[in-house]
Amino acid sequence: MQFDFLIIGGGVVGMAVAYGLLRRGQKVIMLDEGDDVLRASRGNAGLTWVQGKGIGMPRYAELSLQSSDAWPFFASELSERSGVPLEYSRQGGIDICFDVQEAEARVANYRKLQASSPYLARYFQWEYLDRQALLTHLPGLGESIHGGTWSPHDGHCNPLLLLRALLTASLKMGLSYHPGCSVQRLESNIVGFTANTLGGNFSAERIIVAAGLGAKHLSPMLGLSGEVFPLRGQILVTEKMPLISQLPTPQIRQTGNGSYLIGDTHEHAGLNRDATTSIMAKLAARGVRIYPHLKNANIVRAWGALRVMTPDGFPLYESSRAYPGAYNINCHSGISLAAFHAEELAQALLHDRMSHEFSEFSSARFSKIN
Ligand SMILES: Cc1cc2nc3c(=O)[nH]c(=O)nc-3n(C[C@H](O)[C@H](O)[C@H](O)COP(=O)(O)OP(=O)(O)OC[C@H]3O[C@@H](n4cnc5c(N)ncnc54)[C@H](O)[C@@H]3O)c2cc1C
């Protein structure tokens, strides 16, 4: 069988792009490593978030907003195609400010962002709320919380169900899926591109490296930078608690089954994915500061996972000049951007227009930083 696209990486980024290409009638083959590897898609917080994105790059804030607007249709169509509910909700979100300095900096950043983009000035909605005003959105909020920013664009989902839904729907549309298949080498040849694995070689006309942290090793073989590094995040999960109608926050959110997820750490720890007692203690204390009623809640799980970070934290969408038809895709908010990746990015890839339509996101910008 001849394939149009070979995708390396079955995390949420590769899966969303595969789903988008399959919906557009493409023949797609996907290679993914084993269960014991680095996989941000299986360790994240599940936020579909707009607030805070694109400070320093308004175009990224615009993409995040567009993805957030595309999410409701994306979620309902994906659930229908896959039969997997995503536990998705978009009723707005709060980003907590613990003190006045944080609040002032946040407000200044959002105003600056809006001043830099007519699109954001018009469509990015947000409001600063003091603690009293927050109480309607976050009942039970601790007394020492200063305030927070509210935005109607934010939401959350179950990220594991999202991944399962993307895989299920993609398989139904004919995805040729090869898990446990570690790619060792990539090469360009007469058929297009070939990936060498220990289990054999796989080829397609075009190739997309969506390998998360694996991009650093794989993408340079095709003239792409794959410039990413790991940034650890840890998450605590409480036992199931009575459901309270509270908006999600990056710091803490209650999931559909009643557990609270407490997270939002950013740690330079190399490839170490451990959950550490010192960070767990800090997260637990912060969770109780936000919601004092969690004081006696049992913690039932904790984990560390590695974010796929680019040097400036914004997405990396690369098209190879040396090897036309080869692409690299990395981002640190693959859940939030899933709807965008499955729609506009897949469309741009199909027509080989990614470098035109999303030129700001190429690796050329990295020569401007440092
Ligand atoms: C703690 C934490 C919280 C987060 N919270 C959020 C959030 O709330 N909202 C949000 O939008 N994002 C969040 N993120 C980020 C999000 O999880 C990532 O952006 C996303 O998962 C990246 O997906 P990916 O497919 O690029 O990478 P991965 O999930 O790492 O997948 C890469 C895949 O490539 C495969 N691979 C790598 N090398 C090879 C190879 N040589 N051969 C074959 N396969 C290979 C791997 O097996 C893996 O399956 C969070 C991340 C962390 C760590």
Side-chain angles (χ1 to χ4, degrees), residues 8-14 31-34 37-48 181-184 210-214 218 231 233-235 305-308 329-337:
I8 316 292
V12 72
V13 171
L31 309 178
D32 195 26
E33 274 184 307
V37 297
L38 308 169
R39 290 170 148 175
S41 303
R42 296 172 193 230
N44 66 77
L47 297 169
T48 55
C181 214
S182 174
V183 175
Q184 309 295 307
L213 292 168
L218 294 173
L231 189 68
Q234 296 188 44
I235 292 184
L306 300 180
R307 289 188 180 79
V308 182
I329 299 180
N330 285 122
C331 74
H332 88 285
S333 288
I335 309 301
S336 308
L337 292 177

Side-chain angles (χ1 to χ4, degrees), residues 189-244:
N189 50 33
I190 188 96
V191 289
F193 296 90
T194 296
N196 308 131
T197 77
L198 297 178
N201 298 337
F202 300 85
S203 302
E205 213 170 290
R206 293 198 268 166
I207 187 165
I208 299 170
V209 181
L213 292 168
K216 194 159 181 85
H217 166 64
L218 294 173
S219 289
M221 295 180 204
L222 297 174
L224 298 156
S225 83
E227 207 167 331
V228 288
F229 69 91
L231 189 68
R232 189 172 67 188
Q234 296 188 44
I235 292 184
L236 293 185
V237 185
T238 70
E239 63 184 316
K240 293 172 188 164
M241 309 284 287
L243 280 169
I244 302 178

Side-chain angles (χ1 to χ4, degrees), residues 25-357:
Q26 298 298 289
K27 294 194 182 76
V28 180
I29 178 168
M30 175 180 282
L31 309 178
D32 195 26
E33 274 184 307
D35 273 346
D36 54 347
V37 297
L38 308 169
R39 290 170 148 175
S41 303
R42 296 172 193 230
N44 66 77
L47 297 169
T48 55
W49 212 252
V50 174
Q51 286 198 63
K53 311 284 183 199
I55 307 291
M57 195 203 226
R59 182 80 175 103
Y60 174 38
E62 292 170 9
L63 284 196
S64 301
L65 188 48
Q66 284 158 6
S67 192
S68 158
D69 287 341
W71 244 98
F73 177 76
F74 165 74
S76 71
E77 194 198 50
L78 178 58
S79 290
E80 206 167 291
R81 280 180 185 271
S82 63
V84 179
L86 307 185
E87 295 177 4
Y88 169 65
S89 138
R90 190 204 195 206
Q91 291 173 351
I94 305 285
D95 196 353
I96 288 172
C97 297
F98 289 94
D99 53 40
V100 63
Q101 288 82 6
E102 199 178 355
E104 284 173 2
R106 178 90 49 77
V107 167
N109 274 336
Y110 285 8
R111 287 192 180 137
K112 197 166 152 197
L113 191 61
Q114 286 187 304
S116 63
S117 153
Y119 182 87
L120 295 172
R122 178 154 186 206
Y123 295 113
F124 175 37
Q125 295 174 49
W126 64 278
E127 196 178 332
Y128 178 77
L129 301 176
D130 63 19
R131 181 182 171 275
Q132 197 56 34
L134 275 187
L135 281 171
T136 48
H137 297 300
L138 305 177
L141 188 67
E143 288 186 0
S144 74
I145 301 301
H146 185 76
T149 41
W150 165 87
S151 171
H153 312 298
D154 298 326
H156 55 150
C157 72
N158 180 322
L160 297 178
L161 292 179
L162 168 64
L163 198 56
R164 188 194 296 174
L166 285 168
L167 176 60
T168 306
S170 296
L171 288 172
K172 281 187 184 170
M173 288 188 284
L175 175 70
S176 177
Y177 177 59
H178 302 261
C181 214
S182 174
V183 175
Q184 309 295 307
R185 274 186 48 76
L186 297 172
E187 61 191 34
S188 144
N189 50 33
I190 188 96
V191 289
F193 296 90
T194 296
N196 308 131
T197 77
L198 297 178
N201 298 337
F202 300 85
S203 302
E205 213 170 290
R206 293 198 268 166
I207 187 165
I208 299 170
V209 181
L213 292 168
K216 194 159 181 85
H217 166 64
L218 294 173
S219 289
M221 295 180 204
L222 297 174
L224 298 156
S225 83
E227 207 167 331
V228 288
F229 69 91
L231 189 68
R232 189 172 67 188
Q234 296 188 44
I235 292 184
L236 293 185
V237 185
T238 70
E239 63 184 316
K240 293 172 188 164
M241 309 284 287
L243 280 169
I244 302 178
S245 179
Q246 292 160 327
L247 292 185
T249 81
Q251 297 81 17
I252 187 166
R253 74 177 178 97
Q254 192 173 29
T255 65
N257 70 16
S259 305
Y260 280 85
L261 281 186
I262 310 171
D264 202 28
T265 69
H266 299 80
E267 310 154 51
H268 290 273
L271 294 177
N272 183 318
R273 281 179 284 169
D274 292 349
T276 61
T277 47
S278 59
I279 295 285
M280 285 161 71
K282 280 186 190 153
L283 283 175
R286 198 169 65 170
V288 172
R289 184 174 168 197
I290 298 171
Y291 289 134
H293 69 276
L294 296 184
K295 190 163 183 283
N296 296 318
N298 287 310
I299 298 297
V300 294
R301 272 190 299 147
W303 67 80
L306 300 180
R307 289 188 180 79
V308 182
M309 289 301 289
T310 60
D312 57 8
F314 305 130
L316 178 56
Y317 300 140
E318 296 183 272
S319 305
S320 177
R321 284 198 183 159
Y323 301 97
Y327 314 92
N328 176 71
I329 299 180
N330 285 122
C331 74
H332 88 285
S333 288
I335 309 301
S336 308
L337 292 177
F340 164 71
H341 288 159
E343 272 304 313
E344 284 183 70
L345 197 72
Q347 182 76 7
L349 283 161
L350 176 61
H351 297 294
D352 194 22
R353 292 194 53 80
M354 194 169 77
S355 59
H356 301 281
E357 293 179 21

Side-chain angles (χ1 to χ4, degrees), residues 57 227 310-318 330 358-370:
M57 195 203 226
E227 207 167 331
T310 60
D312 57 8
F314 305 130
L316 178 56
Y317 300 140
E318 296 183 272
N330 285 122
F358 304 105
S359 57
E360 304 90 331
F361 297 98
S362 83
S363 60
R365 70 186 194 268
F366 296 146
S367 53
K368 294 176 197 146
I369 60 177
N370 287 329

